[in-house]
Amino acid sequence: MRRLFPGNQFYRKRTMIIRKEQKNIGVSAVGGKGNGLFKLLQYGFPVPDFFVIAAGTNVEGQAFGKDLSACAQELCCELFSVRSSGVSEDGASASFAGQYLTELNVPACGLQSAVRRVCASARGESVSAYFKRLGALPRDMAVVVQRQIAGVESGVLFSTAPNNAGAVLIECVSGGGDGLVSGMKIPQTLYFRKGEREEGYLGELLCAAQELEEKEGCPVDVEWTYDGERLWFLQLRRQTALSDELPPLPCRNWNLYVYRDFTVFSHSVQALASGEEIQERLFGFFVPIREGLLVCGREFYSDENDAAANQQWESLDHGCFFDEFSAKIEATVRKTRRRTATVQKKDFSALSDKHLFAAYRRELAAYLESYVPMMMRPDDYLYGKLVDCSGKARAEVIVNAVKSLLPPTDYSRERVCFLRAVASGESRAYLEKYEWKNSPLGKVSQPVTEEELRQRAVGLSADAAREILKNEERKNRMERAVARKIFSHTEGEERRLAELILRFTYFRTRTAESSDRYFYYIRKNLLSVICRRARITGEELLLYRVDEISTLISGKRLKRTELIKRKSGEAIFFFDGGFRTHFGAGAYGLLKRLLPAPEVAEAVFGEIACAGEAEGTVKVVSRFSDAVNMEKGQILVASMTTPDLTLALEKAAGIITDEGGITCHAAILAREYAVPCLVGTKIATQVLRDGMRVKLDCVNGCFRIV
């Protein structure tokens, strides 16, 4: 039988033994929880007396029972807590929240049975599914036996709040902390500025937060309990969802330009397309971004940036510059469409690894070129000139007229095609023609299906679709007639500017749709082959930047902790023609500062456990069969989650619970999976039913029925 590693009072009694072995104990022997407790002891924090049954110990038989009883007697207490301490548990990339068993208030006579049950929990069905998702991790189980503390207040301390890098978070409930972690209790949530001081045990916790984060070199969360006289530390672990530290946001008027559901891959394309080298090579000039932000899919530019861009366009605005520039954009669009046709037909699966990645680099270079015109926008400059020429009221009338005179694009034709499909009851032609449109750049890997098309058309009859088509055509004819009349009364500089605005508005749309379509077929036909060769999913691949994908040929992959961080959020800061990228949920905190407070009529609020946004159909989950029947991409709604519902958590696009705080089971796993999660709403299961469509806003902490 292997040694039972003692702690605290045994630490004092057997100093030489413990110190001699401590270097070699390691996580492989004492597991994640045990390792955290030994660290707390080493750092000088008060920990209830405990010992660890090493991983691999045979917990059956009388010999083990005698050793267990002897160690238990030395703890000098009547009740014990028996906790799992898996070798892979409480790691930086996997928490195993709720997967293993914990037994509390165990009497001495029941210790051996409790230890057996905790060890047996490592072989459960839910644990096996969890390991399958994580890949090759050790499954060995150690067990911590600890003196049970009767807590008056208990909770969890986050040295850095998951959604606020500048704050310390403390969640607490009355009594023991088991109700908090299970989600059965809604805790009191306390935020403190880093460096803030408090009295009593809260002050001790704030000091501990700073010290433990410094010693561990990263944000940590700590379970604690206060017995009315003394604060005790029960568990130490690294936080599973970390964020890069974001630079301070300059005090500017930030203007929102566009929002698209982009991935890290797509964001990195935007950043590269804003660079000097590629713009100079394609168009012979460079329009640097002086001050810009790309935050969770939204593009923001400051007034200072817009002013600098206008000065740049003014310096170029002479002779036939804009005619030549628009001709080059049109040539880029034609080239992109030709390459799309080639990629659409090509089978990349027959290529060797070397030639596959060479093809990727070629298509990437062409895709970057297809994207560049979207980063160079003369529209605002031209509109400003039109305002100077005609006045603001007249300029707005002309620009609105311009919109109705734009030739039809694939985007506008798609809506007409959809309505015709509904009117005729034939969706196949629509799906084949617009598969690229319905899954171009975002996180969904498959195009829209017939079932999803029917859901999109719910409540829209064939007759209603025909009526909409008729009314829209009539409306479009009227708008075009009015626009032509307005244009007939424009001449000289006013007409020239109006025609340029029309041309660049149209080309920007065509650039976007041709680039989107090109990327869809790169993703479908080329990146899918790279995924199979690298043995990663399509969603995981798109968490790589464009320059990182080529490294997959040599087996170089991102760590799971980095993938979680990237999936949690992204912010790119543009400055003087350069850029810097930051990952993590802190990006959503930045986004909240940038966006105005939304109008959220009839919204239900809760506590943000994992930042993000999601929209989808509701699946109310209360038992294992519900989890099995849940479809990937649905919004999971539950009173609270338990380990047997882990299967549903893995499928969810978002999570909403009635109970719990940001340290409950659902919250911990949501951060580990980087899935938007709202907890403690109190009434979610009362107001939501299967099949409802809901928008989950874990930026502002609410949800509403769409």
Side-chain angles (χ1 to χ4, degrees), residues 442-487:
K443 298 158 189 172
V444 179
S445 58
Q446 298 299 323
V448 172
T449 63
E450 288 190 60
E451 176 60 31
E452 289 170 304
L453 193 61
R454 281 194 292 273
Q455 288 178 1
R456 180 174 156 192
V458 66
L460 185 63
S461 66
D463 288 341
R466 281 191 285 271
E467 189 64 24
I468 291 170
L469 281 168
K470 190 187 301 181
N471 290 338
E472 287 194 352
E473 181 55 37
R474 188 185 303 120
K475 179 185 174 186
N476 290 339
R477 280 200 305 270
M478 292 173 61
E479 287 179 348
R480 285 194 293 270
V482 171
R484 281 193 290 269
K485 188 175 181 179
I486 291 170
F487 258 59

Side-chain angles (χ1 to χ4, degrees), residues 339-544:
R339 293 204 69 89
T340 301
T342 303
V343 172
Q344 186 176 354
K345 296 171 185 174
K346 189 169 179 63
D347 178 11
F348 292 92
S349 60
L351 298 179
S352 66
D353 286 353
K354 180 180 177 180
H355 288 101
L356 176 66
F357 282 89
Y360 165 73
R361 285 188 286 271
R362 281 196 306 274
E363 300 307 331
L364 170 62
Y367 178 50
L368 272 170
E369 290 182 5
S370 78
Y371 207 101
V372 171
M374 285 189 283
M375 304 303 294
M376 307 170 76
R377 304 183 179 94
D379 311 46
D380 289 339
Y381 164 72
L382 293 168
Y383 176 69
K385 287 194 70 174
L386 184 60
V387 169
D388 293 340
C389 176
S390 308
K392 188 168 180 61
R394 170 75 175 163
E396 286 185 1
V397 169
I398 292 173
V399 168
N400 285 327
V402 163
K403 292 176 183 175
S404 63
L405 289 176
L406 289 174
T409 63
D410 284 340
Y411 285 154
S412 59
R413 290 191 189 100
E414 186 266 345
R415 172 169 165 76
V416 173
C417 190
F418 166 70
L419 289 168
R420 285 176 179 164
V422 175
S424 65
E426 176 53 56
S427 56
R428 178 56 53 191
Y430 167 82
L431 291 170
E432 289 176 354
K433 189 171 183 179
Y434 286 99
E435 62 170 341
W436 67 272
K437 165 69 173 60
N438 290 300
S439 181
L441 294 162
K443 298 158 189 172
V444 179
S445 58
Q446 298 299 323
V448 172
T449 63
E450 288 190 60
E451 176 60 31
E452 289 170 304
L453 193 61
R454 281 194 292 273
Q455 288 178 1
R456 180 174 156 192
V458 66
L460 185 63
S461 66
D463 288 341
R466 281 191 285 271
E467 189 64 24
I468 291 170
L469 281 168
K470 190 187 301 181
N471 290 338
E472 287 194 352
E473 181 55 37
R474 188 185 303 120
K475 179 185 174 186
N476 290 339
R477 280 200 305 270
M478 292 173 61
E479 287 179 348
R480 285 194 293 270
V482 171
R484 281 193 290 269
K485 188 175 181 179
I486 291 170
F487 258 59
S488 68
H489 292 88
T490 61
E491 54 187 20
E493 180 68 1
E494 186 180 68
R495 187 174 185 89
R496 185 184 79 87
L497 290 170
E499 288 177 345
L500 281 174
I501 290 172
L502 187 150
R503 189 184 306 170
F504 281 104
T505 303
Y506 175 61
F507 280 141
R508 197 169 69 196
T509 304
R510 287 198 69 201
T511 298
E513 64 191 16
S514 63
S515 184
D516 286 358
R517 186 169 183 165
Y518 185 26
F519 177 70
Y520 173 76
Y521 288 108
I522 290 174
R523 178 176 180 174
K524 181 181 178 183
N525 294 346
L526 175 56
L527 295 185
S528 62
V529 178
I530 292 176
C531 287
R532 289 195 296 272
R533 300 275 178 94
R535 293 186 175 87
I536 59 177
T537 65
E539 288 82 358
E540 184 178 328
L541 183 83
L542 294 180
L543 293 172
Y544 285 72

Side-chain angles (χ1 to χ4, degrees), residues 186-253:
I186 296 179
Q188 182 183 10
T189 302
L190 305 171
Y191 284 93
F192 300 90
R193 294 188 309 276
K194 288 203 168 186
E196 191 173 345
R197 294 287 178 258
E198 280 287 323
E199 298 297 322
Y201 73 87
L202 286 178
E204 290 183 58
L205 285 171
L206 292 177
C207 291
Q210 181 176 341
E211 185 176 346
L212 286 170
E213 187 166 300
E214 288 174 358
K215 289 183 179 296
E216 287 291 289
C218 68
V220 297
D221 72 75
V222 184
E223 288 187 29
W224 57 269
T225 191
Y226 178 65
D227 65 7
E229 296 181 358
R230 190 177 187 186
L231 180 67
W232 298 95
F233 292 81
L234 307 177
Q235 193 170 335
L236 168 68
R237 58 185 164 234
R238 297 188 171 198
Q239 288 178 212
T240 51
L242 303 178
S243 288
D244 292 341
E245 187 173 345
L246 298 177
L249 184 65
C251 186
R252 299 282 190 270
N253 181 30

Side-chain angles (χ1 to χ4, degrees), residues 114-337:
V115 169
R116 287 176 188 154
R117 288 193 294 272
V118 169
C119 289
S121 69
R123 300 187 292 273
E125 202 172 306
S126 175
V127 174
S128 296
Y130 189 82
F131 266 109
K132 186 177 180 181
R133 184 183 66 85
L134 293 173
L137 286 178
R139 293 198 178 202
D140 297 340
M141 168 76 78
V143 179
V144 173
V145 178
Q146 195 166 31
R147 179 163 65 87
Q148 182 75 52
I149 301 293
V152 176
E153 293 271 354
S154 302
V156 177
L157 161 72
F158 286 85
S159 65
T160 296
N163 301 318
N164 186 347
V168 177
L169 169 63
I170 298 174
E171 280 199 340
C172 50
V173 294
S174 58
D178 50 315
L180 173 61
V181 177
S182 67
M184 294 178 68
K185 294 181 180 179
I186 296 179
Q188 182 183 10
T189 302
L190 305 171
Y191 284 93
F192 300 90
R193 294 188 309 276
K194 288 203 168 186
E196 191 173 345
R197 294 287 178 258
E198 280 287 323
E199 298 297 322
Y201 73 87
L202 286 178
E204 290 183 58
L205 285 171
L206 292 177
C207 291
Q210 181 176 341
E211 185 176 346
L212 286 170
E213 187 166 300
E214 288 174 358
K215 289 183 179 296
E216 287 291 289
C218 68
V220 297
D221 72 75
V222 184
E223 288 187 29
W224 57 269
T225 191
Y226 178 65
D227 65 7
E229 296 181 358
R230 190 177 187 186
L231 180 67
W232 298 95
F233 292 81
L234 307 177
Q235 193 170 335
L236 168 68
R237 58 185 164 234
R238 297 188 171 198
Q239 288 178 212
T240 51
L242 303 178
S243 288
D244 292 341
E245 187 173 345
L246 298 177
L249 184 65
C251 186
R252 299 282 190 270
N253 181 30
W254 294 97
N255 304 305
L256 174 62
Y257 274 69
V258 69
Y259 170 50
R260 304 181 79 191
D261 187 20
F262 278 13
T263 60
V264 170
F265 180 96
S266 303
H267 282 168
S268 67
V269 169
Q270 284 183 282
L272 291 173
S274 69
E276 179 175 4
E277 181 182 347
I278 191 168
Q279 290 187 16
E280 285 279 2
R281 177 164 51 81
L282 283 177
F283 298 116
F285 65 94
F286 173 46
V287 182
I289 299 176
R290 298 297 180 195
E291 281 189 338
L293 292 169
L294 182 57
V295 186
C296 303
R298 277 102 166 162
E299 285 183 64
F300 298 86
Y301 299 96
S302 71
D303 285 346
E304 284 80 356
N305 179 80
D306 295 344
N310 287 341
Q311 287 179 1
Q312 178 83 1
W313 290 116
E314 189 173 9
S315 69
L316 296 166
D317 185 8
H318 50 79
C320 300
F321 168 76
F322 281 116
D323 292 326
E324 294 170 357
F325 182 37
S326 61
K328 288 179 180 179
I329 292 177
E330 190 169 16
T332 301
V333 171
R334 286 198 300 270
K335 180 181 176 182
T336 301
R337 290 183 175 241

